[in-house]
Structure formats: structure tokens, C-alpha cells
């Protein structure tokens, strides 16, 4: 018998939400977004500083979208980031721990969307939902030491670096030195 745990993402988000920010919308991916998702997952520069095991990389884009809000929602909530109706990337909440009101966040944008403030806005939109509407008290993030752009986005959103260059398993042959952030 399978018992649904309350500290998985379904406990925090029974249904994937649509989150409206000042400059972007975070919404569930639809099959019509498959081509855009495929374009994102094929951009090597986007995934250079990210774990190898991200959900959207496990399957072909169409299959990933079909699985995202049932199988995938057990571990993470992944929403598309859209500006003016155009797909720009993904925002994610994962690692929900109900007893301590904790969750982790991440994001990845198409390379052509870098440097436009969109990562900052997408993260701000996700944080507003997690803290104000879902009662999260601890929000964490991890970045590769080399990922200075993401470190800057986290700092602009009120995160503090709490541990530097901690070896973690990000799916690479060797442990990955990662910086740990908290808000």
C-alpha cells in the first residue's frame, strides 16, 4: 500500500499554480511548450552549472511535460517562465519539508534571456508565493561556486551565503563544490 507523504511537493502544491509577477508569469507547462522546452534543454551553456539529473533532462520534452505534474510533482514543482506570452525558461521549488516549513528553489533560462532581470523577477515571484501564500519560513538554494550570475540573483532576492564550496553529488563523476544559500 502506498501512503502519500505530506512533505512532498503535492503537500505544498496539490495543483500546479499560475503565479503572476510584475514582469513574468510562472505557469504549468503545456504540450504546446514542448518545442520551447526542447530548445532550453539543448542549450549546453544553460546546464553548465546545473545538476545532471534535473527532471526535464530525464525525458524527451513532450514526455517530460506529460510526466511533470504527476510523477515529477512528488519531488519538485517546475513551472514555465513566460514574458509577454513567450517561453523563457523554468522556475522550480523542490525539497519541501513540511515539519520545518522549508523548501529549496532553482531556475534556468534560455541563454538569450540572460542579463535581462528575468531570473530575479521569476525568483521573486516564486518566493512571494512560497513565503506569503504557502507559509515557508526557510527557503534555500545551491549554486556551483563558478555560477556568479545566479549568486547575484540570489543576493538581490535576499539570500545569504551560509556555506561555501561544499562537495555535493550533482551527478558528475566527481563531487561538485557548491555554495549554500538561505533566505
Amino acid at each position: 500500500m502506498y501512503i502519500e507523504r505530506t512533505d512532498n511537493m503535492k503537500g505544498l502544491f496539490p495543483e500546479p499554480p499560475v503565479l503572476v509577477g510584475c514582469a513574468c508569469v510562472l505557469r504549468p507547462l503545456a504540450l504546446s511548450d514542448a518545442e520551447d522546452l526542447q530548445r532550453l534543454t539543448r542549450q549546453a551553456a544553460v546546464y553548465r552549472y546545473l545538476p545532471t539529473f534535473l527532471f526535464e533532462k530525464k525525458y524527451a520534452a513532450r514526455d517530460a511535460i506529460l510526466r511533470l505534474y504527476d510523477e515529477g510533482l512528488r519531488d519538485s514543482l517546475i513551472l514555465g517562465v513566460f514574458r509577454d506570452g513567450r517561453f523563457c525558461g523554468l522556475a522550480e521549488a523542490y525539497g519541501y519539508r513540511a515539519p520545518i516549513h522549508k523548501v529549496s528553489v532553482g531556475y534556468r533560462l534560455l541563454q538569450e534571456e540572460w542579463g535581462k532581470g528575468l531570473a530575479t523577477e521569476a525568483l521573486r515571484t516564486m518566493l512571494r508565493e512560497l513565503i506569503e501564500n504557502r507559509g515557508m519560513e526557510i527557503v534555500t538554494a545551491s549554486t556551483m561556486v563558478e555560477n556568479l550570475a545566479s549568486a547575484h540573483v540570489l543576493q538581490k532576492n535576499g539570500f545569504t551565503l551560509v556555506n561555501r564550496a561544499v562537495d555535493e553529488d550533482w551527478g558528475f563523476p566527481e563531487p561538485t563544490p557548491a555554495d549554500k544559500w538561505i533566505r
Side-chain angles (χ1 to χ4, degrees):
M1 175 169 78
Y2 177 74
I3 298 173
E4 187 75 32
R5 291 176 38 183
T6 59
D7 67 344
N8 66 30
M9 290 311 292
K10 287 183 182 179
L12 188 58
F13 290 99
E15 296 295 324
V18 174
L19 309 177
V20 179
C22 294
C24 68
V25 173
L26 309 182
R27 69 158 172 81
L29 293 174
L31 285 177
S32 58
D33 301 315
E35 187 176 314
D36 291 324
L37 179 61
Q38 181 176 351
R39 188 163 49 99
L40 176 73
T41 61
R42 289 186 175 170
Q43 290 187 346
V46 171
Y47 289 90
R48 175 180 56 215
Y49 296 133
L50 295 172
T52 62
F53 46 74
L54 295 173
F55 191 85
E56 73 270 13
K57 298 283 279 184
K58 289 182 185 180
Y59 307 101
R62 183 175 165 77
D63 290 336
I65 292 170
L66 287 171
R67 297 168 182 245
L68 204 51
Y69 302 110
D70 50 36
E71 172 189 333
L73 194 54
R74 285 192 295 265
D75 297 319
S76 66
L77 170 71
I78 297 175
L79 298 173
V81 176
F82 294 83
R83 178 180 271 172
D84 300 325
R86 189 180 78 258
F87 176 86
C88 298
L90 301 174
E92 180 176 18
Y94 64 95
Y96 173 52
R97 298 295 172 253
I100 58 173
H101 306 278
K102 175 185 180 272
V103 69
S104 297
V105 293
Y107 44 87
R108 38 236 179 241
L109 297 177
L110 288 165
Q111 190 171 5
E112 58 267 27
E113 300 298 336
W114 294 357
K116 299 177 180 178
L118 190 54
T120 300
E121 175 62 19
L123 181 56
R124 183 176 296 130
T125 302
M126 180 70 83
L127 288 171
R128 188 172 40 253
E129 178 67 20
L130 291 167
I131 295 167
E132 294 176 14
N133 298 334
R134 306 291 169 152
M136 293 298 95
E137 296 174 12
I138 303 166
V139 183
T140 64
S142 296
T143 59
M144 280 190 184
V145 172
E146 300 88 352
N147 194 345
L148 302 179
S150 279
H152 186 65
V153 167
L154 291 169
Q155 289 170 328
K156 287 195 295 187
N157 275 287
F159 282 78
T160 301
L161 180 64
V162 292
N163 212 335
R164 181 140 177 83
V166 176
D167 281 344
E168 290 189 343
D169 179 3
W170 283 32
F172 296 102
E174 299 293 323
T176 301
D179 290 342
K180 310 301 280 180
W181 301 83
I182 192 166
R183 183 172 191 282

